[in-house]
Amino acid sequence: MTQFFEHLGNKTLSSFAKLGRSSFFLIQILTATVSVIPRPRLLINQLFSVGVLSFLIITISGLFVGMVLGLQGFYILSDFGAEETLGVMVAASLVRELGPVVAALLFAGRAGSALTAEIGLMKATEQLSGMEMMAIDPIKRIIAPRFLAGFMSMPLLAALFSSIGVLGGHMVGVGMLGVDDGSYWSQMQAGLDFYDDIVNGVIKSIVFGFAVSWISLFEGYDAIPTSEGVSRATTRTVVNSAFTILGLDFILTALMFGDI
Amino acid sequence: MQNTRTQDTLVGLFVACGIAALFFMAMQISNLSAFSNNKTYLISAHFENSGGLKIKSPVSVAGVRIGRVSNISIDKDSYESIVEMQINTQYSLPDDTSASIYTAGLLGEQYISLEPGGSEDFIQANGVLDLTQSAIVLEQVIGQFLFDKAAE
Amino acid sequence: MNNSVDSDTDIVSIQNLSFSRGDRKIFNDISLTIPRGKITAIMGPSGTGKTTLLKLIGGQLYPDQGSVIVDKKNVHQLKRSDLYTLRKRMGMLFQSGALLTDLNVFDNVALPLKEHTTLSDSMIRSLVLLKLHAVGLRGARDLMPNELSGGMARRVALARAIALDPTMIMYDEPFTGQDPISLGTLVKLIKELNNALGLTSIIVSHDVEETSSIADYIYILSEGKIVGQGTPEQIKTLDSEWVQQFMKGDADGPVHFHYPAENYHKDLFEI
């Protein structure tokens, strides 16, 4: 019986220790980001592997999500005779919630896990150690550019997701189900406020980008340098990112939209 | 190692698409285009009951939105609701304009509709509209209806 | 063996070093010196922490007690920037080569030059080609690390380690798992580079034959202590059963063949 509590206590302490290590890691990254500015090549390389390669999954998912919203939304709204408000419904759902959250979850799954695996493998093959011995700071050269790339790509990807989603909803609603084209856009424009909806959505995706990049890079850096350790670390990235995104989403939504 | 030219081009395209999407969202999806100039002036009106009116509820003339509700408070002496509105400076209103609270659609949000009077003087900043019509409270209407019915 | 610190002839001096990992005491109050310009070998069975020793010298790990003096500087008391400056004068060859997998051979060797010097691209190119030529891989400059054999990867790593012309190189198990030809090449390279460039080399290995053939001085570690030291000839005649078993590779001796178990007869017939 006491073993259970001992185990629990152990786990809690090691979680705190991990949190401490990751915070220290974050501070190191943030101070290192300054040194990335004179080396744009590193950043561009990472923007490519993190952003450009996620482009496809984000746009296709966004399209399908938008189309499903259009379809489902139409049937639900037609019960109230409110089909013309489909535009608002699709756009509001996407811009406020689905865009930032789903794009972040997809990003964590595709780019986040790839980052973790890459860093973990570098640790396992002693590349990070090797760099340190060559007096090259791996945080500055490897970690910081990847962090910046993730952080910068996230809002762009979320915006792409939402925009393509709205077009997808249009395709289904206006193209196939007969919602009036004019109402789709005008209701949307009347119903969504730039500051409340768009800006808040962008802020959310920036926060998510920060969190996901931090988690994926840390799990890789902290991984046990064996093949099993690295694969466990990639799983942890996806799981922890998902929890963090959803938890942050609730907090941010409450802060942003709660007062209205 | 990736051909750096292709890489640069693709990254540039990616960033351009992302920014284009942001613009699209701002322009096409939201009401940004409608509210580019922020110059407004303040006017207020007293209502017996401001009903479901909220801050940022629209203020319109003949169905065209010309401003928003900026503050709702209570008058300590008359216990009436004081509604402050920010009106876009492009629009001038005669000082005998009346303000009424209507509901948009059956279940829609409430808004203030202004009907301009015939006066030749325009209302100034911080002016007060005297003619007001309060919001219709559903329970009162039903109660009135039943009362009238009973009286017949 | 001189215990006094003579920093003109000794480039590295380790005094009373103790280091534990968890409950295990890896080093228990050891002291040794590495003389300049010579090839010093540190040998011992696997798991004695030989790689750990190199990491302690390089400042990647901190000792519990004792000091590590490299080139008159106490490694663990240096500020981060001074430590980095010191590391530029130390080259390290990792067991797996530790080449960066996203750069080709040329870029890997050029990396320290690009990061730490302001030399022009053409100068860097000349230097890289020089270093690659010294290890015999100038023609392989455009290959990616995953296209290299183990032996070739180590040679590229060696070229990278000497890129900044360090004063000291540490080799972590350079001979492990190599075929006879690569082995012979590496042995030849280590000896030649040491003499031609006036380097100090520290080789950590458990390959008795190869290491003895080029080492000027050998330390043998076991269970956190130095159990034997001397020139290769001195070691061969050292009066220690354990050292003799290690050097000759005998199956049984102070390190037993049989893992502790109960009586054979009993176990077999389950009496």
Side-chain angles (χ1 to χ4, degrees), chain C residues 57-85:
Chain C
I57 296 177
Q60 279 190 312
L61 290 173
Y62 281 69
D64 297 333
Q65 278 168 353
S67 61
V68 177
I69 316 271
V70 174
D71 216 8
K72 302 181 195 159
K73 298 191 177 55
N74 186 323
V75 172
H76 301 103
Q77 288 176 354
L78 291 175
K79 285 192 338 243
R80 195 178 172 80
S81 48
D82 293 332
L83 181 61
Y84 269 44
T85 315

Side-chain angles (χ1 to χ4, degrees), chain C residues 21-33:
Chain C
R21 192 166 267 147
D23 300 327
R24 238 185 95 208
K25 223 168 167 63
I26 308 223
F27 296 120
N28 198 344
D29 193 28
I30 62 168
S31 303
L32 55 91
T33 56

Side-chain angles (χ1 to χ4, degrees), chain C residues 32 40-46 48-50 53 173 175 202-213 215 217-223 225-228 230-232 235 242-243 246-247:
Chain C
L32 55 91
T40 309
I42 300 183
M43 300 210 277
S46 327
T48 19
K50 306 192 289 295
L53 187 63
E173 308 263 8
F175 307 125
I202 307 177
I203 305 180
V204 153
S205 176
H206 49 233
D207 246 298
V208 173
E209 230 184 274
E210 273 67 35
T211 323
S212 309
S213 67
Y217 202 82
I218 301 179
Y219 288 96
I220 304 187
L221 292 177
S222 172
E223 318 247 316
K225 290 202 162 293
I226 300 177
V227 294
T231 66
I235 294 265
W242 192 96
V243 171
F246 182 75
M247 297 298 283

Side-chain angles (χ1 to χ4, degrees), chain A residues 41 44-45 47-48 51-52 55 91 95 153 156-157 159-160 162-163 166 185 188-189 192-194 196 198 202, chain B residues 1-2 4 6-8 10-11 14-15 17-19 21-22 24-32 56 68:
Chain A
R41 170 60 38 197
I44 293 182
N45 283 345
L47 274 175
F48 181 80
V52 175
F55 185 85
V95 170
S153 305
L156 297 175
L157 290 168
L160 275 166
S162 302
S163 308
V166 166
W185 295 111
M188 196 194 296
Q189 285 173 359
L192 288 181
D193 179 61
F194 178 72
D196 284 339
I198 309 270
V202 171
Chain B
M1 182 107 193
Q2 282 279 4
T4 42
T6 335
Q7 210 183 65
D8 286 351
L10 287 173
V11 170
F14 166 68
V15 174
C17 280
I19 298 185
L22 280 169
F24 174 73
M25 288 208 300
M27 295 293 136
Q28 283 298 100
I29 299 182
S30 76
N31 57 357
L32 189 65
K56 295 197 100 173
R68 286 202 187 273

